Amino acid sequence: MTVDPSWLVSRPPAVVESGGIVLARAAEAHVDGLTAAIQTSLPELMRWLTWPFDGFGRDDTREWLRHADEDWAAGRDFAYTILDGTAVVGSTGYTNRVGPGWLELGTWVRTSRAGEGFARRTTGMLVDIARDHLPEVDGLVIHHDVAHGASSAVARATGFTRVAEVDPGPDRPFQQTREAVWRLHLRRTAEGNQ
């Protein structure tokens, strides 16, 4: 399913810092750190995500960054590099593919830094950014493989509610497995739900 991104006029800030973690708009300056993080985490990334592949290298990261820059400007995706000081820890951001009023969140953390709370803390930061800077966004969605317990824990810890499990379908052609779907309402609706 292709969503017309024009409903989202506002943009998130390019850099956000909280508690020593920096989310910086993904950029050429991060190419080496991102490439190293991806290469050292390939077995785990390939288990849960569809885009990593054996041999993923610097040119592939550059191509992704080029698309990330175009997508940010168009309002399709907002990719951040997760930094601990100057060290690249992973990537996170929003994808505008759910429909008007909703953004999907995604995060990956390099294997050597897994379990340190980066996914939970960056997800919390993305929730705050959406509330504070994206007034058109009514809510956020997280999709993840139902077998990925760490992703469930992050969604639960950051206030999301599990609403469904879905099988691969034509609206998510990249999806390979049954996914858990979590939602977080950011704005009060006419019915008074949050």
Side-chain angles (χ1 to χ4, degrees):
M1 175 172 81
T2 302
V3 172
D4 177 0
S6 64
W7 67 268
L8 185 61
V9 177
S10 57
R11 296 292 183 261
V15 178
V16 178
E17 189 276 330
S18 177
I21 296 176
V22 175
L23 301 184
R25 181 175 172 175
E28 178 68 24
H30 308 132
V31 71
D32 291 329
L34 283 168
T35 302
I38 292 165
Q39 289 175 340
T40 61
S41 305
L42 267 177
E44 292 77 20
L45 293 175
M46 289 171 63
R47 180 174 177 199
W48 303 113
L49 302 170
T50 58
W51 57 264
F53 55 88
D54 280 327
F56 194 99
R58 199 166 195 269
D59 289 342
D60 302 302
T61 304
R62 274 209 168 98
E63 181 68 11
W64 176 78
L65 287 167
R66 185 181 66 74
H67 285 289
D69 191 53
E70 291 170 2
D71 288 343
W72 189 294
R76 288 186 295 264
D77 288 318
F78 304 97
Y80 287 102
T81 301
I82 305 168
L83 300 167
D84 181 15
T86 59
V88 173
V89 177
S91 181
T92 192
Y94 307 102
T95 299
N96 188 354
R97 67 170 155 233
V98 180
W102 290 84
L103 293 176
E104 185 174 335
L105 289 142
T107 301
W108 64 268
V109 174
R110 75 185 306 151
T111 304
S112 63
R113 303 300 299 268
E116 294 182 34
F118 285 103
R120 178 185 47 78
R121 291 165 53 204
T122 58
T123 298
M125 290 170 74
L126 290 175
V127 170
D128 291 344
I129 292 167
R131 279 192 178 121
D132 296 343
H133 299 281
L134 303 173
E136 307 94 327
V137 177
D138 297 319
L140 302 170
V141 178
I142 294 174
H143 283 249
H144 67 79
D145 187 305
V146 294
H148 199 280
S151 291
S152 289
V154 166
R156 191 175 299 106
T158 52
F160 285 75
T161 301
R162 190 168 174 156
V163 295
E165 286 188 13
V166 295
D167 290 317
D171 61 328
R172 294 179 66 82
F174 49 85
Q175 182 180 335
Q176 303 293 310
T177 63
R178 188 162 181 78
E179 288 187 334
V181 180
W182 299 76
R183 287 187 176 248
L184 176 67
H185 293 271
L186 300 175
R187 315 268 184 249
R188 211 169 268 289
T189 65
E191 296 82 34
N193 297 330
Q194 202 172 24

